[in-house]
Every structure is written in C-alpha cells, then in structure tokens.
Amino acid sequence: MKASKNTKKAGILSRMGYELALVAFLLVWFLFMGIMKPSFLTLNNIVTVLTRISEVAIIAVGMTVVIIAGGFDLSVGTVMAIVPVVIGICYGNGIPFGLAVVLGVLAAVVIGIINGILIAKARFQPIIGTLATMTALRSIIYVLTEGKPVSTFPKGYDQLAHGSFLGIPIPILILIAVIVLFQWIMKSTKYGRFIYSTGGNPKATNIAGISVDRITILVYVVSAVLSALAGIIFSSRLISASPDAGTNTAFDVVTAVLMGGTSINGGQGNILGTMLGILILNFIINGFNLLGINAYWQMIFMGVVLLLAIGYDAKRRSGFAISSLFRRKNSDA
C-alpha cells in the first residue's frame, strides 16, 4: 500500500515537473522573442493570438477528454465545418436563428453518437472509425454547399467573434469558461474519474460496474459539441461558413494535446497541460511569422514536435512498465 502511494505521488510530481518545464520553455520563448521582436510582447499581439487560437483550444479540450478515455477523433475539423453550414442553410431557408443553432448543435451530437457507436459497439479502431466519419462529413459539406461559402447569417453574428465584455474578447471568455468547466469535471467529479478509468484500464472499469461503452459514446459527443462551438465562433469571425474550414485542425489539436502531456494510450493527461501545449505551439508560430520564417519550415516544426511528444509518451510508458515490473518482483521476493 505504501509503495503504491509513493508511486502515485512520484507520478504526480513527474507530471508537475513536465508542466513546469513547459511553462519555463514558454517564458524563455517570450524573453527571446521580446529581444528579437519587441512587438511580440505588446498586449495587442498577445490578445490577438489568444483570440485567434480560441477555436483550436476549445476543440483541444474535447480531444483531451477523448484521448484520456483511450480514443481518438479525426473528425473534429469536419464537425467544426459542418455545424455552421447547417446553421447558415437553415437560417437562409427561413428557420429562426435560435432554432437553426439548436439544429446545428443537434447535428454535432448525432455525429458524436455515431462516432461513439462505431468505436464502442462496432469495435472500429478510433482512427479508422473517425477517419470514415471525417471523409463522409467532408463530402456531405461539399454536397450541401456546392463548394461555396455559406453567408446567410443574421446581422450582428460577427459580434460573437469580434465583440468583447469588460474589455476581454468574447472568444477568450468562452475558452476560459470551457477550460474551467472541464478541468472541474475531469478532476472533481465521478464522470472525470470514469473517463480516466476507461482509458487506463477498461476491463477493470467494466468489472467495477461502469459502462465503458457509455463513457466512450459520451466523450465523442463532448468532442463533437465542443467542435461545434469552435465552428460557430470561427464562422462568426468570417461571417460565413467555409466548406474548407478545419482541414488541418485535427493535426494541430493532437500535436498540442500530446505535447501537453496527455498519453496517446489513454488514462493520463489534463486540460491545463493541453492549454500549455496550445500556447507554446501558437506563440512559436506567431514568433516565426514575425521573424519572417517560411510557412513550410513551420510545418516541419509541427511535425517534429508531434514526433517528440509521441516519443516522450512512449518513453514515459516504457519507464512506468519497467518500474512496475521491478516493484512486482520485489514484492514477490
């Protein structure tokens, strides 16, 4: 029992150490860019970056929940695109805007349920199941829009993305609310514990009387709804719903989530770590843009970061497995 407590404590300290290292790296980057490009540290630039990344960060919260539960969701970008399309088409055909928004969110819920059923009930691998959904949804988007942006939105719709409250941009306020809500759910509620348990040891979770299938479906619904929210904010920014929206979103989100310390095998991770990953990646890209670094080099950087994050996760898991083996041998002795 004592060894188990010590192991748990060591794991917590290890995760805190990793997150502190991310914070330290972010501060060093800010210092470096402040010297190279003083405009980087201006309030205007920082607020602009935070506002621009709000959509991706909201989706990343949902992706974190899915990956902690042992899943993976490649369809987030297409959900982000299709929900505003549904809203715009419904409103353009005379449906009241409030009802159009409800129908768009319901479409996201249905997509999340389909993803969850494919993985929990039909036993598709998460990547394959959500890849199929992603492909089908993108085709549906192009059929619905004929490849053209949908611009039938009411007057004032742009205020969601461009408005502010008490001087703080609304997208940032929405992001903060999402972070606080899901940090609380994951750390302080039984549903959060069920999600960690589902990703960490699904067999033991089932034996304990918790429906792994139900939790799996739930996390995909959460991911889809948060992707819908991000899509609504994004379309408000453009005052149109683009059929090409969210094309590379899944890659960016997964990179940030894994960089933030969430294990690709499930059972480990947290929302705040993901937010650190989002901040680091996007402020680095912002710095690259200010320094005039070619966009192709930025793509190479993102790929390298993803490989490093996966490599770190693999090393952490192998180290945990080896230490567990030694503890088991010592207890047997």
Side-chain angles (χ1 to χ4, degrees):
M1 179 68 73
K2 187 175 180 180
S4 177
K5 287 182 178 179
N6 288 339
T7 302
K8 185 176 181 180
K9 185 176 180 181
I12 293 171
L13 290 173
S14 175
R15 288 194 297 273
M16 288 178 62
Y18 179 72
E19 289 167 10
L20 287 173
L22 292 179
V23 172
F25 180 85
L26 184 61
L27 292 175
V28 169
W29 178 253
F30 267 66
L31 179 62
F32 169 76
M33 284 303 304
I35 295 170
M36 298 297 295
K37 285 284 183 179
S39 60
F40 178 85
L41 291 180
T42 61
L43 182 62
N44 180 63
N45 181 65
I46 293 171
V47 171
T48 298
V49 173
L50 292 176
T51 304
R52 294 286 182 183
I53 68 175
S54 59
E55 299 100 356
V56 173
I58 289 170
I59 295 174
V61 171
M63 184 71 80
T64 303
V65 173
V66 169
I67 294 179
I68 288 173
F72 205 83
D73 192 355
L74 290 177
S75 69
V76 290
T78 45
V79 176
M80 176 185 177
I82 199 169
V83 169
V85 166
V86 170
I87 294 171
I89 290 175
C90 288
Y91 181 71
N93 283 280
I95 295 175
F97 184 68
L99 180 57
V101 171
V102 170
L103 292 174
V105 174
L106 284 177
V109 171
V110 170
I111 293 166
I113 292 172
I114 291 171
N115 278 336
I117 289 174
L118 285 175
I119 292 150
K121 300 295 186 182
R123 303 302 177 191
F124 278 71
Q125 288 295 320
I127 290 179
I128 301 301
T130 57
L131 177 63
T133 308
M134 177 189 75
T135 305
L137 288 176
R138 190 63 70 176
S139 299
I140 291 171
I141 291 170
Y142 284 116
V143 169
L144 290 174
T145 65
E146 298 180 348
K148 302 172 184 177
V150 177
S151 302
T152 49
F153 292 97
K155 184 178 179 181
Y157 182 62
D158 61 321
Q159 287 303 301
L160 179 64
H162 297 286
S164 63
F165 180 73
L166 299 177
I168 304 174
I170 290 175
I172 295 178
L173 292 174
I174 294 173
L175 173 60
I176 292 171
V178 169
I179 292 171
V180 171
L181 174 62
F182 280 91
Q183 180 71 9
W184 172 72
I185 289 173
M186 296 300 290
K187 294 298 182 183
S188 304
T189 72
K190 64 179 182 179
Y191 298 106
R193 293 192 293 273
F194 293 167
I195 290 168
Y196 277 102
S197 178
T198 297
N201 195 331
K203 289 183 178 178
T205 304
N206 263 329
I207 292 171
I210 302 165
S211 174
V212 168
D213 289 352
R214 189 176 300 171
I215 294 297
T216 300
I217 294 171
L218 174 64
V219 298
Y220 280 100
V221 170
V222 166
S223 177
V225 170
L226 290 179
S227 297
L229 175 59
I232 291 170
I233 297 172
F234 185 70
S235 63
S236 171
R237 190 185 308 284
L238 302 177
I239 324 178
S240 69
S242 171
D244 296 321
T247 304
N248 298 316
T249 300
F251 175 79
D252 296 340
V253 167
V254 169
T255 302
V257 171
L258 297 183
M259 184 179 182
T262 298
S263 173
I264 198 169
N265 274 22
Q268 295 180 22
N270 66 78
I271 305 299
L272 296 181
T274 292
M275 291 305 107
L276 284 172
I278 287 281
L279 291 174
I280 288 172
L281 288 176
N282 285 277
F283 274 109
I284 287 178
I285 294 299
N286 175 245
F288 284 173
N289 289 332
L290 291 175
L291 292 172
I293 295 176
N294 190 291
Y296 295 117
W297 284 106
Q298 296 179 23
M299 293 171 65
I300 292 172
F301 165 76
M302 292 287 282
V304 170
V305 169
L306 181 59
L307 288 173
L308 290 174
I310 294 174
Y312 168 77
D313 179 52
K315 182 178 179 180
R316 179 177 59 179
R317 285 187 287 107
S318 63
F320 177 77
I322 291 171
S323 62
S324 297
L325 179 62
F326 276 112
R327 285 196 304 274
R328 191 176 301 115
K329 285 184 176 179
N330 289 336
S331 64
D332 291 343

